[in-house]
Amino acid sequence: MTSLKDVAKLAGVSLMTVSRALNNPEKLSKSTYDVVKKAIDELGYVPNFAAQNIRGVAGKTIGVLSLGTATTPFSVEILLAIEKTVRKYGWHSYVINTFENDEAELEQAVEQLISHRPNAIIIARNGLKKVKVPAKLRQYPIVLANCVTDDVEVASYIPDDFHGQQAIGELLVKKGYKKALFLHIPRNYIATKARKEGFEQAFFAKQTDQSAVKIDHFFMEDDGEDYFTGAKPLIDLLQRHKKLDYDVIVCGNDRIAFVAYQLLLQQGYRIPEDIAVTGYDNMVGITHLFLPSLTTVQLPHYEMGEQAALHLIEERNSTETVLIHCPVIIGQSC
């Protein structure tokens, strides 16, 4: 492996000059910098940022405690955004992935995170929930992405689920829908309450004939992850009734919508001619893989990661929860 000494020998300069070229190039003349840069390129030298941190040289590193984010397809964009953003500003980042329900593994991940001597910490989660901030991390500047906490006063960047679902409600009213079956994600999720309130506000307030409006809500069990069961109320209704008394099925996420599509098409319903369907999340850009394409809401995973990184890079002082816009993705399902 090429070392700093190899670069200095090829460039004909001291180790200190090579170090300055890497960390403080403005302190060198252009001609000296160009000579060192040429040697670095020829040798393919890659700086050891971990070692630089130990010596206190790099000083611009963000450690990311990923709570399932790296292993969940539709939330991994949080990590992609962090990586791209820190790189753009000349910072560095590294990710330690773990799961908060395994205390031993979480403690080990925290120790590993600290061992790299970060300057700041981002805690990112694969789904919006309240998290515990490990005590050993509270000495660092911290920001949260897609999670909140009661442990310490820190900034959190999370989806604006109220207005995301409100926008779906307004769209449905505009298109003339009046009878909604809402198949929610678990009741105890933070997003569930916000989405329910946002939808009801739009669906009731915007209707000209309030007496004709109907919303029936069904919730998954607390902390449930089997989204097939999220569509179970629809299964029961299809078994009991020859014709559904709804003109739209509002699904708590795209996975529930996926099951709803299959159930409806299996029973001979046409989407959207007989009944409309909407989703939420736009999981890995899945809306266009539905036939017909699914109207859904985009969770702002990339934007949450980007803003969390910028919060630390720009040294923002806010400790508030910041709601990130969730845009509606228009499909042909309503």
Side-chain angles (χ1 to χ4, degrees):
M1 182 180 292
T2 302
S3 69
L4 206 68
K5 188 179 291 186
D6 296 327
V7 175
K9 183 178 180 180
L10 180 61
V13 299
S14 68
L15 288 173
M16 180 62 74
T17 299
V18 177
S19 179
R20 283 179 177 168
L22 292 168
N23 300 291
N24 303 104
E26 70 279 0
K27 293 184 178 181
L28 299 178
S29 67
K30 185 178 184 305
S31 58
T32 301
Y33 175 79
D34 288 344
V35 169
V36 176
K37 179 69 165 58
K38 182 180 178 182
I40 288 172
D41 291 342
E42 280 187 28
L43 295 173
Y45 174 70
V46 178
N48 185 337
F49 292 115
Q52 287 182 336
N53 277 343
I54 292 172
R55 297 193 302 269
V57 176
K60 291 184 177 182
T61 302
I62 293 175
V64 183
L65 182 63
S66 162
L67 302 177
T69 320
T71 53
T72 306
F74 57 88
S75 64
V76 75
E77 281 212 342
I78 294 176
L79 305 181
L80 175 64
I82 293 170
E83 181 183 349
K84 284 191 172 183
T85 304
V86 300
R87 187 183 301 167
K88 177 181 177 182
Y89 286 87
W91 285 50
H92 313 290
S93 65
Y94 58 92
V95 177
I96 305 295
N97 190 73
T98 187
F99 299 92
E100 67 252 61
N101 57 358
D102 187 330
E103 291 187 15
E105 185 178 322
L106 176 60
E107 184 176 352
Q108 185 179 16
V110 169
E111 292 291 348
Q112 191 176 356
L113 199 69
I114 293 172
S115 71
H116 287 272
R117 304 200 180 189
N119 299 99
I121 300 290
I122 295 175
I123 299 178
R125 201 182 181 283
N126 66 326
L128 176 58
K129 275 191 175 182
K130 191 174 291 184
V131 300
K132 288 284 186 183
V133 176
K136 291 183 179 180
L137 297 183
R138 298 180 192 181
Q139 61 182 302
Y140 298 93
I142 296 178
V143 64
L144 308 184
N146 206 28
C147 52
V148 295
T149 188
D150 292 330
D151 296 340
V152 289
E153 289 190 7
V154 293
S156 303
Y157 291 88
I158 67 173
D160 186 356
D161 284 302
F162 178 91
H163 288 103
Q165 197 74 69
Q166 184 186 56
I168 286 283
E170 291 176 350
L171 175 68
L172 293 175
V173 172
K174 184 178 179 181
K175 289 180 174 291
Y177 296 100
K178 297 182 182 300
K179 297 181 179 181
L181 170 63
F182 203 139
L183 303 176
H184 289 274
I185 55 179
R187 186 190 292 271
N188 67 321
Y189 284 6
I190 295 171
T192 306
K193 180 181 178 182
R195 295 178 190 179
K196 179 178 182 293
E197 292 176 353
F199 183 79
E200 286 183 335
Q201 185 179 105
F203 206 66
F204 282 117
K206 299 292 183 178
Q207 297 279 7
T208 54
D209 182 7
Q210 295 283 333
S211 62
V213 179
K214 170 185 177 181
I215 307 177
D216 286 336
H217 297 278
F218 291 89
F219 300 85
M220 289 177 59
E221 64 180 29
D222 286 1
D223 297 314
E225 293 291 337
D226 179 5
Y227 291 102
F228 185 88
T229 65
K232 190 176 184 304
L234 176 59
I235 297 174
D236 296 339
L237 288 167
L238 288 170
Q239 289 176 343
R240 294 201 308 264
H241 304 284
K242 291 183 178 180
K243 182 174 174 58
L244 294 175
D245 189 28
Y246 302 99
D247 52 21
V248 60
I249 299 175
V250 181
C251 299
N253 64 25
D254 297 341
R255 283 165 284 181
I256 296 175
F258 179 75
V259 179
Y261 258 55
Q262 295 178 80
L263 293 170
L264 292 170
L265 295 172
Q266 187 181 56
Q267 295 297 317
Y269 284 88
R270 298 170 301 163
I271 304 171
E273 291 85 356
D274 300 323
I275 192 165
V277 180
T278 65
Y280 208 102
D281 291 357
N282 193 25
M283 181 179 68
V284 292
I286 202 171
T287 177
H288 297 297
L289 299 181
F290 282 75
L291 294 174
S293 58
L294 179 68
T295 293
T296 188
V297 176
Q298 175 78 51
L299 277 178
H301 287 117
Y302 192 94
E303 292 78 5
M304 287 189 287
E306 179 183 48
Q307 289 304 312
L310 288 174
H311 185 98
L312 297 173
I313 293 169
E314 296 174 354
E315 298 183 347
R316 299 175 186 173
N317 295 320
S318 169
T319 57
E320 297 177 351
T321 296
V322 180
L323 301 177
I324 307 295
H325 175 61
C326 300
V328 174
I329 308 298
I330 302 294
Q332 298 175 324
S333 64
C334 65

